[in-house]
Amino acid sequence: MKNQFVADTLYMIADLLDLKGDLFFKTRAYRMAAQTIEALDNDIETIVQQGRLESIPGIGEALAKKITELVQTGKLEYLERLKKEVPTGLIDLLSIPGLGPKKVAALYKNLGITSIQELRKAANNGELRTLEGFGEITERNILRGIQLLEKTSGRVLLNVAYEDGNRYLSYLQKCKKISKINIAGSLRRMKETIGDLDILALSNDPEAVMEHFVHYSEVAEILAKGPTKSSVLLHDNLQVDLRVVEEKSYGAALQYFTGSKEHNVTLRGFAIKKGYKLNEYGLFDKNTEAYIAGKTEEEVYKKIGMQYIEPELRENRGEFEAAKNKTLPTLVTYDGINGDFHVHSIWSDGSDSIETIASVAQQRGYSFIGITDHSQSLKIANGLTEERVQQKLHEIEKIGKNFPDLRIFCGTECDIKTDGTLDYSKKILEQFDFVYIGIHTAFKMDKESMTQRIVRAMDNEQVNFMAHPTGRLIGKRDPYEVDIEQIIDAAKETDTRLEINSFPDRLDLDDVHIKQAKDHNVRFVLGTDSHSINHLDFMRFGVATARRGWLEKKDILNTSSVQEIEKIIGT
Ligand code: DGT
Ligand code: CA
Ligand code: CA
């Protein structure tokens, strides 16, 4: 789906109009339309094809024309023109987390700042705090924002790469000359952010394959086109590399181009110790150069004397030792998930009714779904008052009767207050099927207070799960300051399961902390944090992260039967 791409473009237009000082109602119209498209249940391409754009609230004739152009060509004349009207550097400034168009305009007008370098310099010199509406805190946040941006710059979130990659793959599969094709690189390892896409194909007519590859409709620019290797840039700026190899090298090449580089370097070392030489063409005898293996990855690993290592584990974080000792984990599987614990409905800030969520859950083959709306003090997200909790419990009971094969759990995502107490009384908490706790306000506490706040909340008897345990937003917000070891210990001690929040810009806990927590015998739940039924698909990114954290079926509650779950959460 191109929905996010269209929404992002509309947000960009609104920002540029704001920079130019255009009228509020005009920029607002673009933002509203962007929000609507982001939350849309249907594919925007299909809507364009059917000429139904104008039936979407907030989209009139002019906007419909622009969206159609964008979806059909991947570009928008109007946006290109707008970009020329503002100094180019200002557009880069907009990508700094926490810096909106109003602040960028103020920086430009008052200090003449037109680039990230100039901004950093001014912030370091303490010049920003002299501006109206800026202060020391803003200054510090801007510096942090620049750092975050540099860390992720040029990389995209896993879901964006996953969708781009799989759309490209379906297109490539139409080429009759390709007999085998795989995604490789960091996307195959399901890393949380992706630098570029790597695709590997098997064919005895590589040139025909390259021809097909560069003629894909989403290609904006051909960077290189050779007989066995080509690179293109997609409209959304993601680079894609394709390599074509022959059959006897396919497994060795797939292993090589899947990486990670650190994994490969270590594997090559083991090959050498065994008297071999390993490269993307195969495994060879070090002395005679005779070909030994390379058709499949499995035979490469086996010949080097170890178990096959799943792509998600290939980060050189202990997988070789385990593979040699035959103690690799049997990873949780992508289709082994029976339901989702973390879904918002229209009762708080979600966009779908419980009924709609339940029927989509059923279509997915789930045996349970957890509806977790926000708690009362989170007014900005329409958190539920105690009275509305009662109404919701009733409604779920009623709707549940229409879904005999789906257990609808009534949960809550209960806010943790600054002192570590919870946002509902014990009496209310007891009525939920399960209780998630989470931090949604006051992120900037010192480490010790934040740690105490969470530990105290976990100590509550009604609490089952801790939502997005570190609060990070990839590329946008750092984790809050917290002593993760103490959180892990407290989770174990209080029997609180840690969430692997599967929303792509969270993926929280992350892979490294998951493994650390698992080593301390902590258990986990998966939740998508869906605010629309489209988000239910994000489950695969949570499973991927769990796999990258070495988790097995038994570590994750979502793999259990409804009966077992009920026993564990104590409904
Ligand atoms: P990315 O694109 O930054 O998200 O990460 P990767 O892992 O996809 O890295 P990329 O695209 O630069 O290269 C794809 C794979 O090719 C990489 O995972 C391992 C392999 N590779 C690339 N350069 C080297 C190298 O210098 N040595 C070795 N052993 N392998 C390499
Ligand atoms: Ca890559
Ligand atoms: Ca690459």
Side-chain angles (χ1 to χ4, degrees), residues 3 23 153 175 214 218 264 274 313 343 364 452-453 502:
N3 296 30
L23 294 170
S153 99
C175 177
V214 299
E218 288 184 40
N264 288 357
K274 284 224 143 196
L313 297 180
V343 181
R364 296 178 69 88
Q452 281 321 306
R453 177 181 178 187
S502 313

Side-chain angles (χ1 to χ4, degrees), residues 143-273:
L143 283 170
R144 286 295 306 123
I146 294 175
Q147 263 179 22
L148 267 174
L149 183 69
E150 284 174 345
K151 219 163 57 188
T152 48
S153 99
R155 304 186 67 81
V156 299
L157 291 177
L158 176 58
N159 66 315
V160 175
Y162 184 89
E163 283 170 22
D164 278 5
N166 282 290
R167 268 206 308 275
Y168 216 148
L169 207 60
S170 340
Y171 164 80
L172 289 170
Q173 276 159 344
K174 289 185 199 140
C175 177
K176 301 239 164 20
K177 303 284 183 185
I178 294 178
S179 44
K180 208 183 223 174
I181 188 156
N182 275 92
I183 292 202
S186 51
L187 179 56
R188 182 157 180 248
R189 306 198 312 279
M190 297 293 268
K191 217 178 135 169
E192 61 193 34
T193 63
I194 306 292
D196 67 11
L197 295 182
D198 304 279
I199 303 179
L200 186 72
L202 175 63
S203 172
N204 48 21
D205 188 355
E207 296 196 24
V209 174
M210 291 307 168
E211 215 28 53
H212 185 74
F213 176 66
V214 299
H215 282 98
Y216 178 46
S217 69
E218 288 184 40
V219 169
E221 196 186 333
I222 300 170
L223 301 172
K225 183 164 175 269
T228 59
K229 183 183 171 212
S230 295
S231 293
V232 298
L233 207 57
L234 300 181
H235 285 307
D236 63 4
N237 273 328
L238 192 63
Q239 184 180 325
V240 187
D241 299 338
L242 173 71
R243 291 173 188 84
V244 178
V245 298
E246 52 179 344
E247 192 164 16
K248 70 182 210 306
S249 298
Y250 193 82
L254 185 57
Q255 195 290 315
Y256 181 91
F257 292 113
T258 295
S260 65
K261 198 170 155 185
E262 293 71 19
H263 175 92
N264 288 357
V265 168
T266 307
L267 183 65
R268 254 196 327 264
F270 285 121
I272 290 168
K273 268 196 217 137

Side-chain angles (χ1 to χ4, degrees), residues 412 414 422 424-432 435 462:
T412 176
C414 184
L422 299 182
Y424 285 128
S425 66
K426 180 166 182 254
K427 203 178 111 226
I428 295 291
L429 290 175
E430 279 171 347
Q431 298 179 51
F432 291 109
V435 173
Q462 283 74 43

Side-chain angles (χ1 to χ4, degrees), residues 67-101:
I67 295 171
T68 306
E69 180 187 337
L70 190 61
V71 166
Q72 288 174 348
T73 69
K75 275 185 289 215
L76 186 58
E77 189 61 35
Y78 175 66
L79 175 64
E80 298 312 313
R81 239 183 16 244
L82 266 182
K83 279 184 177 169
K84 286 190 191 122
E85 290 173 28
V86 297
T88 21
L90 294 192
I91 298 169
D92 297 340
L93 294 184
L94 284 175
S95 52
I96 298 172
L99 203 55

